[in-house]
Amino acid sequence: MRDRRLAVNPALGVALPPMQEKRRRYLTAEQLEALADAAGPGRTAVLVLGYCGLRWSELAALRVRHLDLLRRRVLVEEAVTEVDGSRLVWGTPKTHGRRSVPLPRFLVDELARTVVTRPADELAFPSPQGAVLRNRNARSAWFDAAARAIGEPGLTPHELRHTAASLAIKSGANVKAVQRMLGHASAAMTLDRYADLFDDDLDDVADRLDALRAASRGRVADFLRTDSAVRVS
């Protein structure tokens, strides 16, 4: 249609079958720690992926200057992706916006031991040769073996992003905070993607409604007793 070869799009209005999403795998905090311990040289990278929710392309592009350990923040402003398994393309993160991601205190200590003494423009998580850490190479070198070691064969680095969302929500973070941490375009997108993680919130709503009703019935009973006493007197 853009080339003016067709006047009407024949696919317009065709109903597509709903996409079946693969069930997400969320690691517990204990599993994540075990994975990091089994990852050897990838220990800190696993912890950053699992607690900060970075995409692999964002982790691989991080430089030392992006780690503000005093403010406990990771500045995500670049991403690097592989094209055709060989060429590296640098650009902005997926949503084209830079963001500041919070660092837990224990991760500040982990990073301080491995990063602070290095030049600001060095890659924070380089390959053993000092180049960009490629997903495929990291998986064959230590990630896949670590996943098998904790009984989660087939686990991918991207699934640690889901784990980060799960742990953040479990710790009590609100949807807006999780959205900002993950770099989603909107809180609605976060809710749609991780709706299954909010089941406990639904239980909490039901419990609060139970408590509200019990309190209201108590007030009604008190009112009726008071009203009856007034009419008798």
Side-chain angles (χ1 to χ4, degrees), residues 11-205:
L12 193 64
V14 175
L16 298 175
M19 291 181 65
Q20 296 296 319
E21 278 202 34
K22 181 182 175 183
R23 184 175 178 82
R24 290 189 180 87
R25 173 165 32 184
Y26 305 112
L27 299 186
T28 64
E30 292 78 13
Q31 287 176 308
L32 180 57
E33 291 294 331
L35 181 70
D37 289 341
R43 170 185 168 77
T44 308
V46 165
L47 292 173
V48 170
L49 290 170
Y51 282 102
C52 298
L54 270 60
R55 302 175 179 91
W56 184 271
S57 60
E58 297 167 345
L59 177 91
L62 278 183
R63 299 188 184 276
V64 173
R65 59 182 163 82
H66 293 140
L67 301 172
D68 188 342
L69 302 187
L70 290 178
R71 292 181 58 246
R72 293 167 46 207
R73 292 288 187 272
V74 177
L75 181 61
V76 179
E77 59 181 15
E78 285 186 288
V80 57
T81 54
E82 296 180 51
V83 177
D84 299 327
S86 57
R87 187 164 58 94
L88 294 175
V89 177
W90 292 80
T92 56
K94 190 173 181 181
T95 50
H96 306 293
R98 52 187 287 174
R99 70 185 189 278
S100 181
V101 178
L103 277 172
R105 291 188 187 279
F106 82 89
L107 257 182
V108 171
D109 296 336
E110 290 270 354
L111 290 166
R113 287 194 290 269
T114 58
V115 170
V116 291
T117 58
R118 290 161 47 201
D121 279 333
E122 249 188 38
L123 291 169
F125 298 98
S127 71
Q129 294 75 34
V132 170
L133 184 62
R134 300 188 182 224
N135 188 300
R136 181 176 53 185
N137 293 345
R139 290 192 64 174
S140 63
W142 44 264
F143 189 91
D144 288 354
R148 289 192 297 270
I150 67 165
E152 294 290 343
L155 182 76
T156 67
H158 188 75
E159 287 181 284
L160 297 187
R161 180 169 162 83
H162 304 324
T163 291
S166 170
L167 295 178
I169 291 167
K170 189 175 292 186
S171 71
N174 62 53
V175 177
K176 194 66 180 175
V178 177
Q179 175 221 334
R180 291 176 61 190
M181 180 181 82
L182 297 178
H184 286 162
S186 67
M189 180 179 176
T190 305
L191 280 171
D192 288 343
R193 187 155 297 180
Y194 296 111
D196 55 322
L197 293 175
F198 290 91
D199 286 345
D200 290 344
D201 285 358
L202 295 178
D203 293 337
D204 185 54
V205 169

